[in-house]
């Protein structure tokens, strides 16, 4: 439990067996409100952990007054339907998240076509087409994962004393909540202490490709300028050395990008070639994440003017300037 300036934060920490280390979400007590920031996965471990944390502080599910979502990923929104089923709780998120969380039919159609065209242009061929058709792939947002209740656009008055900050990169709709007086930052998956956060290539509101890695760097720089003393991360430890860590993550982006330049000079000219060389078996097993890393970095280098591209027979070929 964390207490400061008449505010209490009760972390709900659910250990995992994968590299994320844990699924974290948070209860924030202020005056007459009890806000749930994010909602874990839709499983019994997260559900039981939430109820246990509430019970440990003499609350129950019916005491939750608001749910705020940092972004649309399934490990942050999982318990929303269960919680709202207990009693009526308003749920707030970035306006873009509504399309994703409610599985808007037009958005879903656009998303699939976006990835089909993207992977074709990146030289993924038949394998890319198979990924787009695979219902297990994150490209396809499963209907049974949708949020049934109304998602309302988040505004600045749902948490007393907090600023709401857009921090895209990991997700186009990702938000952070920052309390200036406490210097506490709820940052979703922007930064984790034990591993870097992936910048995910996604279609933006209008279907254009997000420049995910550039956004990730800008979001890190934005949050670095806040000089937060404590960062409540979506996974792993609650971060006390956040300033140094964010500086390191920003540095890592440019260091990794330099490797791509060297590989392009060696003749690896398509995103698919780079992915298969750098990630080998992960190219098939973790295709969505792998291609996000590759495409995001290529976009980043192109914006910097360090590389250019030329389309040949429907495929982008990259070369160094």
């Amino acid at each position: 439990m964390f207490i400061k300036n008449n505010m209490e934060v009760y972390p709900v920490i659910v250990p995992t067996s994968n590299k994320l280390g844990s699924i974290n979400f948070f209860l924030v007590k202020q005056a007459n409100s009890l806000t749930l920031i994010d909602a874990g996965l839709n499983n019994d471990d997260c559900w039981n952990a939430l109820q246990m944390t509430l019970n440990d502080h003499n609350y129950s599910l019916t005491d939750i007054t608001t749910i705020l979502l940092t972004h649309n990923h399934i490990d942050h929104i999982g318990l929303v339907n269960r919680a709202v089923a207990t009693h009526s709780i308003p749920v707030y998120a970035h306006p873009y998240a509504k399309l994703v969380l409610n599985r808007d039919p037009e958005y879903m159609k656009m998303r699939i076509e976006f990835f089909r065209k993207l992977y074709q242009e990146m030289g993924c061929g038949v394998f890319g087409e198979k990924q787009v058709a695979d219902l297990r792939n994150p490209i396809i947002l499963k209907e049974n994962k949708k949020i049934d209740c109304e998602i309302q656009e988040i505004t600045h008055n749902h948490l007393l004393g907090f600023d709401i900050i857009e921090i895209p990169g990991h997700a186009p709709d990702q938000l952070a909540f920052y309390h200036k007086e406490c210097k506490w930052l709820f940052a979703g998956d922007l930064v984790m202490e034990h591993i870097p956060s992936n910048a995910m290539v996604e279609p933006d509101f209008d279907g254009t490709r997000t420049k995910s890695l550039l956004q990730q760097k800008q979001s890190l720089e934005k949050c670095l300028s806040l000089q937060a003393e404590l960062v409540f991360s979506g996974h792993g430890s609650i971060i006390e050395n956040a300033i140094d860590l964010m500086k390191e993550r920003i540095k890592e982006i440019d260091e990794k990008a330099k490797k791509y330049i060297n590989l392009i000079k060696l003749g690896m000219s398509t995103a698919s070639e780079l992915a298969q060389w750098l990630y080998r078996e992960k190219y098939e097993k973790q295709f969505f994440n792998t291609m996000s890393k590759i495409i995001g970095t290529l976009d980043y280098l192109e914006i910097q003017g360090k590389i250019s591209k030329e389309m040949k027979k429907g495929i982008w070929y990259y070369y160094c300037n």
Side-chain angles (χ1 to χ4, degrees):
M1 181 172 67
F2 298 83
I3 304 175
K4 196 172 184 179
N5 289 31
N6 298 315
M7 176 170 59
E8 300 177 12
V9 176
Y10 315 129
V12 184
I13 310 294
V14 183
T16 66
S17 58
N18 57 31
K19 66 179 183 179
L20 293 176
S22 65
I23 305 291
N24 304 341
F25 42 114
F26 306 94
L27 289 157
V28 180
K29 182 70 177 80
Q30 292 181 291
N32 297 319
S33 69
L34 182 64
T35 301
L36 179 64
I37 297 180
D38 285 337
L41 280 166
N42 184 20
N43 61 27
D44 289 340
D45 287 343
C46 287
W47 183 245
N48 294 336
L50 173 59
Q51 293 194 82
M52 186 179 298
T53 303
L54 285 163
N55 185 64
D56 287 346
H57 299 285
N58 299 313
Y59 296 110
S60 67
L61 287 161
T62 55
D63 292 310
I64 297 174
T65 55
T66 309
I67 297 175
L68 303 182
L69 302 175
T70 60
H71 61 293
N72 71 72
H73 293 171
I74 58 170
D75 53 345
H76 292 258
I77 58 96
L79 297 179
V80 170
N81 285 338
R82 282 210 226 185
V84 171
T86 64
H87 71 293
S88 179
I89 312 172
V91 180
Y92 296 93
H94 191 288
Y96 171 73
K98 181 178 176 65
L99 296 174
V100 183
L101 295 177
N102 291 152
R103 301 299 191 253
D104 177 82
E106 289 302 313
Y107 168 79
M108 298 290 285
K109 180 180 178 181
M110 177 273 287
R111 179 182 173 86
I112 292 169
E113 289 305 313
F114 167 87
F115 281 109
R116 180 177 287 114
K117 183 174 184 288
L118 176 65
Y119 293 151
Q120 179 185 7
E121 293 179 345
M122 294 300 160
C124 301
V126 175
F127 187 73
E129 292 176 13
K130 288 180 179 178
Q131 292 293 316
V132 174
D134 186 354
L135 294 177
R136 296 167 296 177
N137 198 294
I139 296 162
I140 308 294
L141 298 174
K142 296 178 182 178
E143 185 71 16
N144 65 353
K145 303 291 185 184
K146 76 174 183 179
I147 300 301
D148 295 323
C149 66
E150 181 185 359
I151 307 295
Q152 301 182 56
E153 181 176 348
I154 201 163
T155 59
H156 283 64
N157 57 5
H158 301 300
L159 278 171
L160 296 173
F162 278 83
D163 289 331
I164 298 174
I165 304 165
E166 295 197 25
I167 51 166
H170 178 69
D173 62 326
Q174 187 167 233
L175 298 170
F177 310 114
Y178 181 61
H179 196 285
K180 290 180 180 178
E181 293 183 12
C182 293
K183 291 195 171 183
W184 287 358
L185 181 70
F186 293 86
D189 286 353
L190 174 68
V191 60
M192 294 174 275
E193 190 168 56
H194 60 302
I195 54 172
S197 176
N198 289 336
M200 301 296 193
V201 171
E202 295 267 4
D204 212 334
F205 305 91
D206 58 358
T208 58
R209 182 163 87 240
T210 60
K211 301 300 185 281
S212 56
L213 189 62
L214 176 63
Q215 290 179 334
Q216 179 85 343
K217 184 178 181 181
Q218 291 172 337
S219 293
L220 284 165
E221 291 170 340
K222 188 186 296 185
C223 288
L224 176 63
S225 70
L226 300 174
Q227 300 288 295
E229 295 178 356
L230 202 63
V231 173
F232 296 91
S233 175
H235 305 283
S237 303
I238 292 166
I239 303 167
E240 296 182 359
N241 63 331
I243 294 172
D244 290 340
L245 181 61
M246 283 189 270
K247 287 180 180 177
E248 182 63 27
R249 293 287 183 256
I250 292 167
K251 181 181 176 183
E252 288 170 356
I253 288 172
D254 286 312
E255 289 177 345
K256 289 179 180 178
K258 288 178 183 177
K259 295 179 181 179
Y260 285 60
I261 294 175
N262 293 331
L263 289 173
I264 292 170
K265 286 178 179 178
L266 291 172
M268 295 181 195
S269 56
T270 69
S272 178
E273 288 174 337
L274 286 163
Q276 292 178 67
W277 173 259
L278 285 168
Y279 295 103
R280 294 176 169 82
E281 72 280 357
K282 287 185 179 180
Y283 175 70
E284 295 189 15
K285 294 179 180 178
Q286 300 177 24
F287 182 82
F288 179 75
N289 289 353
T290 298
M291 290 308 299
S292 282
K293 291 176 183 178
I294 298 294
I295 297 167
T297 305
L298 290 172
D299 285 343
Y300 178 70
L301 288 170
E302 188 179 2
I303 291 166
Q304 289 184 315
K306 295 181 178 179
I307 64 172
S308 296
K309 67 179 184 286
E310 181 181 1
M311 182 165 281
K312 301 176 184 177
K313 296 181 179 180
I315 297 173
W316 287 118
Y317 288 82
Y318 292 84
Y319 58 91
C320 293
N321 292 333

